[in-house]
Amino acid sequence: MIPSRSLAAALVAGGLLAMPAQAAGPAPLAAQGCLGCHGPNGAGLASGARLAGRDAQELATLLRDYRADRRPGTIMNRIARGYTEDEIAAVAAYFAAIR
Amino acid sequence: MPITRRAALGASLAALAAPALSRAQGAARLLVIGGGFGGASAARFARTQYPELQVTLVEPLTRFVTCPYGNLLLGGYRQIGDITHSYDGLRAAGIRILHDWAEGIDAAGKRVRLRGGETLAYDKLILSPGIAIRYGALPGYDEAAAQALPHAWVPGDGSQTLLLRRQLEAMEDGGVVGISIPANPFRCPPGPYERISMIAAYLKRHKPRSKVLALDAKDAFSKQGLFQDGWKALYGDMVEWVPASKDGKVARVDPAAKVFETEFGERHRLAVGNVIPPQSAARIVLDSGLAAQTGWAEVDPRTLASRAAPDIHIIGDANNGAPMPKSGYIANSTAKQAVASAVAALRGEAPPEAVYFNTCYSHVGDDYGISIVGIFRPGPNGFVEVPNSGGVSPRGDLPEQRRLEAIHADTWYASITRDMFG
């Protein structure tokens, strides 16, 4: 059995303390929810539309339109109503940045 | 997929700069117990998003058979290989996988003892062991009875699901298939009703004089109106669902005679009997003192940390996540928040804002799907569903909606298992 190290030593050695604050959320947790249907990294899979690499404005507008029932959907209207304006912007920016 | 993977990891470039150092001198140790929807998701998310972590996964079985789509196997639409997954992808991602049983947790000493003799120390533990069947809670239903009256609710190596399938294949036309459905809470709230549907689909094609008799300990269930509309449309009077208020609650089973006896003494003799039994959190949660009186683990809704042991995050079906369902998608969603919260705690930071996502599709027929969506956030006293969001598919004569949801269900299965196993 490996003897228990002190937490501080483990953190420094592991590089955790050295990481910048913005790395705390690797992807917004809101965007993680999309991956259950839209394929790895939002690349699209079968009937799950591609999200990765699409224009952020386009994605945000789609989500807002689903949320307001301006656009018909199978389940996306019900989903989009659960998210805030900030989350929609973060999700759109995240997938837009994946190349 | 090097390109997309690099993009996903982009935010963690600072950590990538010194992986050799962290390996050599000992990275923070994340231990995951359980390789299902919660545990596999947690391990892979941790390994890919926080490459500086040393991730170990303990799972007794060498292959994972999913509960989702098990009902489609019963309906004859899937084979066991279609719902069986290997851990090779997780191993290739750099996760240490030990196929062993976790026997006990020393929460104060932050150590886990394995049946094989090894003891593993951790900095943070993600506990995702699933459920245990409460044998004996339904009189007559013990482990031996499960060989005559399969539960097919904890697939294990798949043998329970296959046993029920073989019994359906062996029965003669004109028989009654009984399904005993428990009170809340239990794994996969819409699961019993999808099972009714898929068994009816099989009988309609192969044994059309047979019927499904579903005896329920409840008076209401998930997606009820949608399921009942679908049963009527697809299966006519082949399906009979009996609520608790109409003596639907099974009080005793006789495995030798294949009889379900209800609360008020009616004895239903069956050709095939499927008992979906009362459940609790898995044994290790109970044995480690991590379960409340209810039999489920209480957790912080922001971090999934155990109320009894803050360095243990309990995810998946083992926790009391109500009003979130005990579903694969919630296990996947809470896995990511648990890992992110564990890492934040190791760094001395606050956990990220939590939002949990669920979609449960059910097949009423092969090309007839329905769904329920839920988005949840932490509240002052537990989990709270976001008002005016989510909900079930629209009712009415909507064949295109049903067709598309069946297709999207298949997409969900393919996508989420990729998210879990790579």
Side-chain angles (χ1 to χ4, degrees):
Chain A
M1 195 192 89
I2 305 161
S4 188
R5 288 170 291 265
S6 87
L7 182 57
L11 287 172
V12 172
L16 287 170
L17 295 178
M19 291 177 70
Q22 69 267 26
L29 265 299
Q32 289 294 335
C34 311
L35 304 182
C37 294
H38 289 273
N41 296 310
L45 186 68
S47 70
R50 181 177 57 85
L51 307 176
R54 287 169 72 172
D55 180 67
Q57 193 59 46
E58 181 207 357
L59 290 173
T61 301
L62 276 172
L63 285 168
R64 288 191 200 104
D65 286 351
Y66 279 128
R67 192 171 58 174
D69 281 332
R70 284 190 297 264
R71 183 186 176 86
T74 315
I75 73 161
M76 279 308 302
N77 306 67
R78 287 177 272 157
I79 294 170
R81 283 197 282 275
Y83 293 95
T84 64
E85 194 56 38
D86 283 355
E87 284 167 339
I88 284 178
V91 166
Y94 171 72
F95 286 113
I98 295 177
R99 296 292 169 205
Chain B
M1 245 174 260
I3 295 169
T4 48
R5 180 149 180 248
R6 189 181 63 195
L9 294 175
S12 302
L13 279 175
L16 281 171
L21 183 69
S22 55
R23 288 283 106 180
Q25 299 188 6
R29 297 156 301 179
L30 187 80
L31 177 59
V32 182
I33 295 179
F37 276 80
S41 300
R44 185 160 179 275
F45 181 74
R47 186 69 200 122
T48 55
Q49 304 291 329
Y50 304 98
E52 71 281 12
L53 284 176
Q54 180 190 307
V55 182
T56 303
L57 174 66
V58 176
E59 162 58 47
L61 298 170
T62 55
R63 299 177 81 75
F64 179 65
V65 178
T66 59
C67 288
Y69 275 64
N71 288 329
L72 277 88
L73 184 148
L74 298 177
Y77 301 112
R78 290 293 187 282
Q79 301 294 317
I80 194 73
D82 300 330
I83 60 168
T84 303
H85 300 268
S86 142
Y87 290 98
D88 291 348
L90 296 184
R91 210 173 275 113
I95 296 160
R96 182 184 182 214
I97 299 179
L98 299 173
H99 293 299
D100 202 340
W101 277 92
E103 292 260 295
I105 302 170
D106 169 7
K110 299 210 264 185
R111 277 185 283 264
V112 170
R113 184 167 38 82
L114 304 184
R115 187 172 290 176
E118 194 174 351
T119 299
L120 302 172
Y122 61 82
D123 296 305
K124 291 286 180 182
L125 173 62
I126 307 286
L127 185 55
S128 187
I131 59 166
I133 288 168
R134 291 171 54 215
Y135 285 112
L138 173 62
Y141 201 69
D142 56 18
E143 260 183 285
Q147 294 309 310
L149 303 170
H151 54 75
W153 213 246
V154 179
D157 60 1
S159 55
Q160 274 282 311
T161 313
L162 289 169
L163 175 61
L164 181 54
R165 170 70 191 173
R166 283 198 305 274
Q167 291 186 352
L168 292 169
E169 286 170 348
M171 75 177 260
E172 287 178 15
D173 192 8
V176 175
V177 177
I179 304 179
S180 170
I181 305 172
N184 292 322
F186 61 94
R187 162 178 281 176
C188 190
Y193 311 96
E194 184 187 62
R195 178 165 292 177
I196 292 168
S197 311
M198 287 292 99
I199 290 177
Y202 169 74
L203 296 177
K204 186 179 176 183
R205 294 197 313 281
H206 298 283
K207 286 151 196 185
R209 294 188 296 112
S210 312
K211 65 174 277 189
V212 180
L213 175 67
L215 299 168
D216 206 327
K218 302 181 296 303
D219 283 332
F221 61 86
S222 177
K223 303 182 234 182
Q224 183 168 347
L226 289 161
F227 271 115
Q228 290 179 322
D229 291 349
W231 293 338
K232 200 171 162 200
L234 299 180
Y235 310 117
D237 57 4
M238 285 182 79
V239 171
E240 183 184 357
W241 173 74
V242 185
S245 60
K246 301 246 173 79
D247 198 23
K249 186 180 175 190
V250 174
R252 171 182 307 279
V253 299
D254 180 341
K258 291 206 175 174
V259 166
F260 289 177
E261 185 177 330
T262 61
E263 212 171 8
F264 295 101
E266 194 165 346
R267 290 170 57 84
H268 299 277
R269 193 170 296 277
L270 308 164
V272 173
N274 169 216
V275 175
I276 302 170
Q279 300 152 27
S280 69
R283 184 94 239 161
I284 191 167
V285 178
L286 309 182
D287 289 351
S288 306
L290 297 169
Q293 289 287 333
T294 57
W296 307 97
E298 294 296 327
V299 294
D300 182 326
R302 177 95 185 259
T303 63
L304 290 309
S306 164
R307 296 289 192 193
D311 291 310
I312 304 176
H313 299 256
I314 306 178
I315 58 170
D317 296 344
N319 71 28
N320 170 18
M324 301 193 301
K326 296 186 184 301
S327 74
Y329 217 141
I330 282 295
N332 171 271
S333 181
T334 51
K336 294 171 179 180
Q337 178 69 8
V339 169
S341 299
V343 170
L346 289 169
R347 290 175 179 158
E349 294 171 0
E353 289 297 324
V355 56
Y356 304 108
F357 180 70
N358 182 64
T359 293
C360 290
Y361 289 102
S362 302
H363 284 268
V364 183
D366 181 31
D367 53 4
Y368 187 121
I370 58 176
S371 66
I372 183 166
V373 171
I375 297 103
F376 304 87
R377 297 179 191 277
N381 300 307
F383 301 91
V384 179
E385 183 160 13
V386 177
N388 306 314
S389 74
V392 299
S393 311
R395 283 182 76 177
D397 184 22
L398 302 166
E400 184 62 3
Q401 171 88 19
R402 310 289 178 242
R403 190 185 70 83
L404 285 172
E405 293 215 69
I407 291 169
H408 292 337
D410 294 352
T411 296
W412 168 81
Y413 187 86
S415 190
I416 201 158
T417 51
R418 288 275 291 275
D419 195 52
M420 294 160 64
F421 294 109

